[in-house]
Amino acid sequence: MAAQYVHSRLSQSHLQRYTLVFKNGELLRHQDALTVAQYQQDARLAQVQAETLRA
């Protein structure tokens, strides 16, 4: 099992989430860092956007 970093803010734990944007316009929202790492070398991936955290 892969380790995931947990950040603490205001006594609440959460995982950083990302949106993957592909060249064909497809979006994969709410992905974790492990998924981002798996897609980093994919030629179809256009960019990775960090999602803003909501209270």
Side-chain angles (χ1 to χ4, degrees), residues 32-52:
D32 62 6
L34 180 59
T35 304
V36 172
Q38 291 172 334
Y39 276 99
Q40 286 225 288
Q41 297 302 316
D42 193 323
R44 300 171 294 174
L45 184 64
Q47 68 182 39
V48 176
Q49 299 173 345
E51 295 180 359
T52 57

Side-chain angles (χ1 to χ4, degrees), residues 6-15:
V6 178
H7 303 277
S8 180
R9 179 182 289 172
L10 301 175
S11 300
Q12 294 180 355
S13 295
H14 63 272
L15 295 173

Side-chain angles (χ1 to χ4, degrees), residues 12-43:
Q12 294 180 355
S13 295
H14 63 272
L15 295 173
Q16 176 64 52
R17 297 296 181 175
Y18 302 90
T19 297
L20 305 178
V21 181
F22 292 91
K23 292 176 182 175
N24 67 358
E26 182 180 350
L27 300 175
L28 280 179
R29 297 185 188 271
H30 314 303
Q31 303 302 308
D32 62 6
L34 180 59
T35 304
V36 172
Q38 291 172 334
Y39 276 99
Q40 286 225 288
Q41 297 302 316
D42 193 323

